[in-house]
Amino acid sequence: SQVDVLAINCSHLGCSVALNQAQKSFDCPCHGSRFHLDGTVLHGPAAYPLSHLTWKQGKDASTIQVDGIILGF
């Protein structure tokens, strides 16, 4: 299976998007842009997809490293 890591900043004006579990999308509360779970635009005003971030597995199964940032879960 493939894991995608996306930036949470809307490509329109940089507001933080939130997961809409009911609609299975990422939604921007500022201007109404919506994105598919793969980051592509579902509904504008955003014209560009969410940024895909490069990542690699961390030292253990619950850690990933994203462009120099270490995230644990």
Side-chain angles (χ1 to χ4, degrees):
S1 74
Q2 180 179 333
V3 175
D4 289 319
V5 177
L6 303 170
I8 64 166
N9 302 95
C10 179
S11 59
H12 177 235
L13 291 176
C15 295
S16 294
V17 298
L19 176 63
N20 180 333
Q21 291 184 355
Q23 296 296 314
K24 296 185 178 163
S25 64
F26 293 110
D27 298 353
C28 180
C30 296
H31 301 106
S33 293
R34 297 181 71 202
F35 301 87
H36 295 280
L37 295 180
D38 67 359
T40 57
V41 177
L42 175 64
H43 175 323
Y48 302 100
L50 297 174
S51 295
H52 283 257
L53 303 176
T54 303
W55 69 278
K56 64 181 179 181
Q57 184 66 50
K59 292 181 180 181
D60 58 61
S62 65
T63 305
I64 62 173
Q65 185 171 344
V66 180
D67 291 331
I69 302 170
I70 298 173
L71 304 171
F73 50 93

